[in-house]
Amino acid sequence: MGVNLSKGQKVSLEKSMTLALVGLGWDTNKYDGGYDFDLDAAAFLLGDNGKVTCDEDFVFYNNLEHPSGAVKHTGDNLTGAGEGDDEVLLIDFTKIPANISKIAITVTIHDAQARNQNFGQVSNAFVRVAKRSGPEDMTGEEAIRYDLAEDFSIETAIVVCEIYRRNGEWKFSAVGAGYQGGLAALCRSFGVNV
């Protein structure tokens, strides 16, 4: 059984965790706006300055793998239907370039403004980090879980968590910070050209 964290808490990852699965899940509240909720997970690989070093450091549904092979997105879930993880990112800590000190894991609502959607209409959102036993392990053993209990009534983007390097160790921080302006706002914040 993994460790359950609250917003703001930090914990070290096991030193033996070289392969991780970051699963993100959510449900949508009763909604009759005529559109599916398409939530998108992404990872921003950041340098010490909190910015990407190049646009390829942004891993999302249109760039499924970092050039180093360190972070892979397993694909876009357009509806979030079903139980468990809705979108998954795979991390190989042995391949993370030395100039990357932090990975920000985010979730945004696709076309939120046009569809009049926000995270206030989403419930049971979570992120979990699982230790994978090998490259074929697509479930992993859950090590950390963070359930987002906050009410993001106007936000269309959330920095869910950060995985960062400190003194040669990888740590997890439960961030839970909401943003308006969707994916474009996050990209600008992290230095991606939009």
Side-chain angles (χ1 to χ4, degrees):
M1 186 66 189
V3 176
N4 283 318
L5 298 181
S6 301
K7 182 175 179 165
Q9 288 186 305
K10 297 174 171 62
V11 66
S12 294
L13 298 179
E14 276 183 46
K15 287 180 177 53
S16 63
M17 186 184 298
T18 56
L19 298 176
L21 178 149
V22 179
L24 297 111
W26 55 81
D27 295 318
T28 52
N29 300 336
K30 187 169 168 45
Y31 167 76
D32 57 9
Y35 298 100
D36 283 332
F37 261 78
D38 178 10
L39 273 62
D40 297 313
F44 293 86
L45 284 75
L46 309 172
D48 289 338
N49 65 353
K51 305 285 187 197
V52 296
T53 60
C54 62
D55 288 350
E56 289 74 34
D57 287 347
F58 171 38
V59 178
F60 69 119
Y61 57 84
N62 275 339
N63 177 35
L64 293 175
E65 186 171 347
H66 189 265
S68 67
V71 178
K72 296 178 185 176
H73 192 303
T74 62
D76 193 10
N77 177 332
L78 299 176
T79 65
E83 296 294 311
D85 300 332
D86 290 314
E87 292 201 3
V88 172
L89 297 158
L90 303 175
I91 300 175
D92 183 340
F93 289 105
T94 67
K95 294 182 179 177
I96 296 177
N99 66 333
I100 300 299
S101 58
K102 183 187 297 182
I103 302 169
I105 306 293
T106 67
V107 178
T108 57
I109 301 174
H110 180 73
D111 227 2
Q113 190 169 358
R115 296 178 180 187
N116 199 26
Q117 296 174 342
N118 61 59
F119 276 103
Q121 298 159 314
V122 174
S123 59
N124 304 322
F126 69 87
V127 61
R128 68 185 195 95
V129 177
K131 179 180 179 180
R132 297 167 62 213
S133 60
E136 305 306 313
D137 182 358
M138 295 304 288
T139 309
E141 181 184 333
E142 187 169 304
I144 298 167
R145 183 179 181 97
Y146 167 41
D147 293 301
L148 282 81
E150 298 82 14
D151 179 22
F152 297 103
S153 58
I154 57 173
E155 290 84 352
T156 55
I158 298 174
V159 176
V160 180
C161 65
E162 292 175 344
I163 297 170
Y164 62 99
R165 195 183 334 230
R166 171 87 31 91
N167 299 326
E169 258 191 278
W170 286 99
K171 298 181 179 283
F172 177 96
S173 175
V175 177
Y179 289 79
Q180 292 182 23
L183 186 58
L186 286 178
C187 286
R188 282 191 293 275
S189 174
F190 291 126
V192 176
N193 293 309
V194 287

